Structures are given as structure tokens and as C-alpha cells.
Amino acid sequence: MPYQVPEPKIFTCTQSTKLSEKIAEHFGSNLGNVIFSRYSDGEFQPSFEESIRGMRVFIIGSTNPSSENLMEMLLMLDAAKRASARHITAVMPYFGWARQDRKDKPRVPIAAKLVAKMLEAAGATRIITMDLHADQIQGFFEKPVDHLFASTLFLPYLNSLNLNDLTIASPDMGGSKRAYAYSKALGCDVVICYKQRAQANVISHMELIGDVEGKNVVLVDDMVDTAGTLTKAADLMMARGAVSVRAITTHALLSGDAYEKIEKSKLSELIVTDSIPLKKESKKIRVISCAELFADVMHRVHHNTSISSKFLM
């Protein structure tokens, strides 16, 4: 009798429960049963409450700080490995610690490489993630990495706005490649902001390269943390004659007083995905779910079919 490939099981880290429920619904499945036992000192232990022997399992969880989110993912991967799962895929809508992808000064870690090695050591046989801070992080893994692009979600939304005199903007030099890719897809111009930092999350100076007068500008970035760069760029562009400024950022970290900055800024809209749950609602923030994208890719991975159509840029 031929061997029947069992249906995969989907589990979630506590950080990403809402997103995981949406992904499972689009996948046509239910979330697997996993419980977390906690000690009084904060230590926790995940436990799969159903057999996963010989199966493909998808473990969903973004690993943005605190480090507890990463630790959850590592422990669940290890538990799945020790429970004899056949394929263990870490589905990480947001790959945390990715800003430390190189040594930018002496005596500092390369945290993204360290996290990649820990994920593999814990038992991950495949990684699915979206909009890495730096593309080269894929090279830190020895296992397959499916690096998805949120442009598959954002481009249809931008087209639906029917904006005249559209211009794509990068809030810094590092994001220029991403901005050019969007501009090529939309057939519009590009401008770039040049910034200098006094220290992490503190901008000392910003200048605009390009003309935005009379333009509807869309800032493109992979993440928004304190929102200092985006709001400063939006205010600068409006001062230079832009008609409107909105921003699309994949990962909404939104730490510190980010929400207050966004509310007070010249940004007309901030469009993000639900790779990270919002801490609170804002009338200026629009969320586009990435659940269907991940569910589709997970289905294709399980059935060994191509996912190249999901790579728009």
C-alpha cells in the first residue's frame, strides 16, 4: 500500500496567536494543541499535546524583542525535533535581531548570524520569513530559506488608490534598492532621503535627494520602530511641496513614543502588515494581513510546488 503523506500540523508561539489563527484558517486547518507551562521565576516550557511523529510541522512566531519571543520559537523547535517530527518549518513573519547583520564597529556581535545558527541547532529544517532587513541574511543559513516580499500585498493596495503624480521614496540610502523595485513596478519616479544619525534611533540631519513638489509620495521601508525617520521624512517632503505623504512598512515595531509621532506627523497614512501585532489602534495606521500569503506558501511548500509567483521583487 503506497505511503500517504499526512497533512501538516500548524502550531503557534504565543506572540503570534492571532496571525496564526488567520493563517490556519486560510490553510484550511486548525491550530495544533500546544501548552506553555510557566514557573514562578518566568521560565517556561512548551508541550505538544498531540503526536507529531513523522509529520511536517509549521511553527509560527515572529521573534521581535523581547528575547522571550525568540526563546519560545527555539524551545518549540527543539520540542518538535525531540518528538520526531519529520520536517520542521519555522514560519517567522518578522525575523528579529536582523539589524545586527554585520560588524559596523569593533567588538560587536553579528546577532542575525547567531540567531540563524540557533534556529538550525534547535531543529528547524526550513525557514519561511518576510522582508528581511538585509537580503544577505539568507546566506547565514545552511537550510532552505523562503524569503517572501510584502510587495505582493502592498502593490495591489497602492494601485487601488489611483494616485496621480505618484513618487516612491526611500527614507534612507540603505532602502534605495527596495524603493527602485517599487518604482519599476509602478512606473514612477524615486526620491531618496539622506540621513545622519547621532546614535541609534536618533537622527541628527536629513536631506532630500530629488524633487517632490506637486507629488503624492509613498515612503517604503521594511520596518518602523520609533517612527523618527518616517515622520521626519514626511515633514520634510511636505515642506518641499509634496501634495501628500504616506508610508508602507512591513513590520510595525512601533516602540517608545512612535504612535504619538505618527499622530502628530504630516503622514496621511501608515500601511503595515500584521507580522507583529499592534500595541494599540491608530486612525492613521492601516493593517493589511499577510495571513493568506503565508498560508499559500506553506501549502506550496508542503506539496513541493513552486512559490516563485510570490516573489514580485
Side-chain angles (χ1 to χ4, degrees):
M1 184 174 180
Y3 174 71
Q4 297 292 322
V5 178
E7 283 299 302
K9 293 192 175 182
I10 303 172
F11 299 92
T12 182
C13 299
T14 57
Q15 152 78 344
S16 301
T17 301
K18 288 185 178 180
L19 174 59
S20 299
E21 288 172 348
K22 293 179 185 177
I23 292 174
E25 182 181 352
H26 284 292
F27 193 89
S29 178
N30 295 315
L31 288 179
N33 187 13
V34 58
I35 61 172
F36 282 82
S37 302
R38 291 186 177 270
Y39 297 91
S40 61
D41 67 346
E43 181 182 340
F44 55 87
Q45 179 189 61
S47 170
F48 293 99
E49 296 298 298
E50 56 190 272
S51 175
I52 55 175
R53 182 177 297 274
M55 293 185 169
R56 181 189 295 277
V57 298
F58 293 100
I59 300 174
I60 304 171
S62 289
T63 55
N64 51 299
S66 73
S67 55
E68 185 168 300
N69 295 325
L70 174 59
M71 196 65 188
E72 274 192 21
M73 174 61 77
L74 293 172
L75 291 180
M76 288 187 70
L77 291 171
D78 187 70
K81 177 178 67 176
R82 296 177 189 280
S84 301
R86 186 175 186 180
H87 300 288
I88 308 169
T89 302
V91 182
M92 305 167 69
Y94 173 69
F95 183 90
W97 313 91
R99 283 175 282 189
Q100 300 178 60
D101 63 313
R102 66 195 185 285
K103 287 184 68 174
D104 56 358
K105 68 178 198 177
R107 299 177 295 279
V108 296
I110 303 179
K113 174 71 176 290
L114 176 62
V115 170
K117 293 304 174 188
M118 287 195 295
L119 291 167
E120 291 180 335
T125 59
R126 190 180 200 96
I127 309 294
I128 302 176
T129 189
M130 179 172 65
D131 278 4
L132 288 167
H133 187 63
D135 289 347
Q136 65 264 25
I137 291 173
Q138 297 171 78
F140 293 166
F141 290 90
E142 299 303 322
K143 305 296 183 183
V145 178
D146 296 312
H147 181 209
L148 311 180
F149 297 104
S151 55
T152 58
L153 309 172
F154 291 139
L155 285 173
Y157 177 73
L158 288 178
N159 283 322
S160 72
L161 296 176
N162 294 315
L163 295 172
N164 296 320
D165 299 314
L166 177 64
T167 294
I168 297 295
S170 172
D172 53 40
M173 301 297 288
S176 59
K177 179 182 177 182
R178 183 181 294 105
Y180 278 117
Y182 271 84
S183 72
K184 183 178 180 181
L186 294 166
C188 60
D189 295 332
V190 178
V191 297
I192 298 174
C193 293
Y194 172 74
K195 66 181 180 183
Q196 293 179 331
R197 290 191 185 275
Q199 60 189 61
N201 295 130
V202 178
I203 301 169
S204 61
H205 176 72
M206 178 178 283
E207 191 51 66
L208 182 64
I209 303 173
D211 180 25
V212 295
E213 187 171 357
K215 304 287 187 179
N216 287 295
V217 182
V218 177
L219 284 155
V220 180
D221 210 350
D222 65 308
M223 67 174 70
V224 52
D225 188 356
T226 64
T229 298
L230 283 184
T231 55
K232 194 176 183 69
D235 294 347
L236 175 61
M237 289 174 182
M238 290 299 290
R240 297 290 178 87
V243 174
S244 69
V245 182
R246 49 179 41 83
I248 55 176
T249 59
T250 306
H251 310 296
L253 294 169
L254 297 175
S255 62
D257 61 348
Y259 285 92
E260 289 72 21
K261 287 179 182 174
I262 291 168
E263 291 294 335
K264 294 176 182 177
S265 74
K266 302 290 186 181
L267 279 173
S268 60
E269 187 178 30
L270 172 63
I271 306 109
V272 301
T273 73
D274 53 355
S275 62
I276 300 171
L278 292 181
K279 298 180 180 71
K280 61 181 181 180
E281 298 296 320
S282 169
K283 62 182 181 181
K284 282 194 174 185
I285 300 177
R286 180 182 182 89
V287 179
I288 298 177
S289 181
C290 57
E292 188 172 358
L293 171 63
F294 276 97
D296 187 15
V297 170
M298 287 160 55
H299 188 274
R300 290 167 185 249
V301 166
H302 178 60
H303 293 282
N304 298 309
T305 57
S306 174
I307 65 171
S308 59
S309 62
K310 301 302 173 183
F311 299 111
L312 287 190
M313 62 178 68

